[in-house]
Amino acid sequence: MTNDTMITVRQTARPTGFPTPDLFAFVESPVPAPAPGTALVENLQWSVDPYHREAMDSDEIWALNSPMEGRTLGRVLDSRDPLLRPGDLVLHRRGWRTHALVSAAEARRVPDLGPGVPLAAHLSLLGGTGLSAFVGLTRIARLQPGEDLFVSAAAGGVGTAAGRLARLLGAGRLVGSAGSARKVAYLTEEIGFDAAFDYHEGPVPELLAKAAPEGLDAVLDGVGGDHLEAAIGALRPFGRIAWVGAVGQYHSLSAPPPAPRNLFDVVGKSIRLEGFLVRDHADALDELYDLTVPRLREGSLPLDVTVVKGFEHIVSAFLGMLRGENLGKMLVAR
């Protein structure tokens, strides 16, 4: 790659089960010049997310042999849009490429939040990942101080953000699930979970019941399947579930897993189960900033990220994230 070359990642075929590297192609082309109303952005950091796996199956999201998309942080190099100036740092969704042409409507300038707030925060705790956790806890699960919370897939991007935020919001007993002993230790020793378990070690409903013997008030679930069944079983009457994802079924070779066997307990316990998309809650970003930015500046709120260096490794970073190799948010940096 030279300064005059743009590299774009394209999906060339649909996966069967877990994705493989041969489903992606790196395509070189000249760096484009901005047309009126657009700006040329050099991308600096890329987010690889669980929803990208679901997008791989959809013609409506990722058309084959077309540039892929994803949350990205970049710097404006050249602009023919008066609202975007050279040197501006911007967030946009034309990711999985080294350069992008964006309009002001497609990009959001990154505010200068001062020292102590690293760029990676804008794609993790202060980005869609952290906002998903914040919205799930505050608007959907409506977590109150002292209430007991379960977070599934708690060592990933949304899960670690949820753990940090839940502590700031005054949660009571905090329980998480993860996929390895290393991750369980990270949750309890680094983030402050009161209990955590490796879901490979037995039936999840039994593991959660042991970790939360007195029950739960709220749940943030990003797995579905047996984790959702376990959550329903452990919740007290009038408990709330914020359902943000179903990573447990993304690689299914046949039909998705059956619904939780105890689904009718949602009625019996008067449980509220609500799914949500973070894009419908962009207005919550200022609230998230108010809660987290002062603590980031003073150094009391750590950032949970795994950073892979080099755009050429974006596919391996994505597949590694799906295999659970990351602690916190998985990012790729130029």
Side-chain angles (χ1 to χ4, degrees):
M1 184 181 68
T2 68
N3 291 335
D4 299 323
T5 302
M6 176 175 74
I7 299 178
T8 301
V9 182
R10 305 186 182 198
Q11 183 183 339
T12 58
R14 299 294 177 201
T16 301
F18 196 91
T20 52
D22 59 294
L23 301 176
F24 303 88
F26 287 75
V27 179
E28 294 189 6
S29 61
V31 172
T38 68
L40 173 65
V41 175
E42 179 185 37
N43 293 330
L44 304 175
Q45 294 184 359
W46 299 263
S47 174
V48 289
D49 297 293
Y51 84 87
H52 287 155
R53 171 60 188 88
E54 191 174 16
M56 292 187 72
D57 295 326
S58 172
D59 290 322
E60 296 180 0
I61 304 176
W62 280 357
L64 292 182
N65 300 304
S66 297
M68 293 156 62
E69 68 87 34
R71 299 185 182 104
T72 307
L73 173 69
R75 189 181 302 277
V76 176
L77 295 179
D78 190 11
S79 179
R80 298 187 66 187
D81 186 323
L83 298 179
L84 297 173
R85 299 167 299 186
D88 283 347
L89 284 170
V90 295
L91 290 164
H92 63 90
R93 299 192 68 91
R94 293 185 177 272
W96 292 70
R97 67 198 84 183
T98 57
H99 300 77
L101 290 177
V102 300
S103 67
E106 298 170 314
R108 179 170 66 86
R109 281 200 286 182
V110 174
D112 182 3
L113 299 178
V117 182
L119 289 182
H122 296 286
L123 286 176
S124 54
L125 187 61
L126 301 181
T129 297
L131 190 60
S132 293
F134 180 75
V135 167
L137 294 178
T138 62
R139 292 191 172 185
I140 311 301
R142 300 177 188 174
L143 182 70
Q144 300 299 308
E147 289 190 326
D148 300 325
L149 172 73
F150 170 55
V151 180
S152 66
V158 172
T160 52
R164 301 284 186 191
L165 295 173
R167 279 288 168 243
L168 297 180
L169 294 168
R173 185 168 177 80
L174 187 56
V175 179
S177 69
S180 70
R182 168 175 168 258
K183 291 184 174 184
V184 167
Y186 187 81
L187 294 177
T188 56
E189 296 172 10
E190 300 294 331
I191 296 183
F193 279 75
D194 296 290
F197 59 85
D198 180 348
Y199 59 80
H200 294 108
E201 292 186 346
V204 176
E206 295 178 12
L207 294 170
L208 180 55
K210 182 178 179 180
E214 302 299 320
L216 299 163
D217 299 294
V219 172
L220 182 68
D221 180 37
V223 179
D226 56 354
H227 281 69
L228 183 57
E229 180 176 313
I232 293 171
L235 276 170
R236 301 172 182 133
F238 303 100
R240 291 90 60 201
I241 302 173
W243 198 7
V244 70
V247 69
Q249 70 183 55
Y250 287 165
H251 313 303
S252 177
L253 292 173
S254 54
R261 292 167 294 181
N262 59 351
L263 187 59
F264 193 68
D265 285 353
V266 170
V267 176
K269 293 184 179 182
S270 298
I271 291 169
R272 185 165 59 82
L273 168 61
E274 183 177 349
F276 70 98
L277 295 172
V278 69
R279 69 189 182 201
D280 297 325
H281 297 272
D283 62 310
L285 190 60
D286 287 343
E287 298 172 38
L288 175 63
Y289 273 35
D290 289 343
L291 179 65
T292 58
V293 169
R295 293 172 171 87
L296 286 169
R297 287 174 179 155
E298 69 186 18
S300 65
L301 180 58
L303 206 61
D304 302 290
V305 294
T306 297
V307 180
V308 174
K309 290 287 189 178
F311 177 76
E312 66 272 20
H313 301 302
I314 191 169
V315 171
S316 61
F318 169 56
L319 299 180
M321 179 273 302
L322 293 179
R323 286 190 291 264
E325 296 174 0
N326 54 302
L327 287 171
K329 181 76 189 76
M330 180 72 95
L331 297 176
V332 178
R334 195 176 183 90

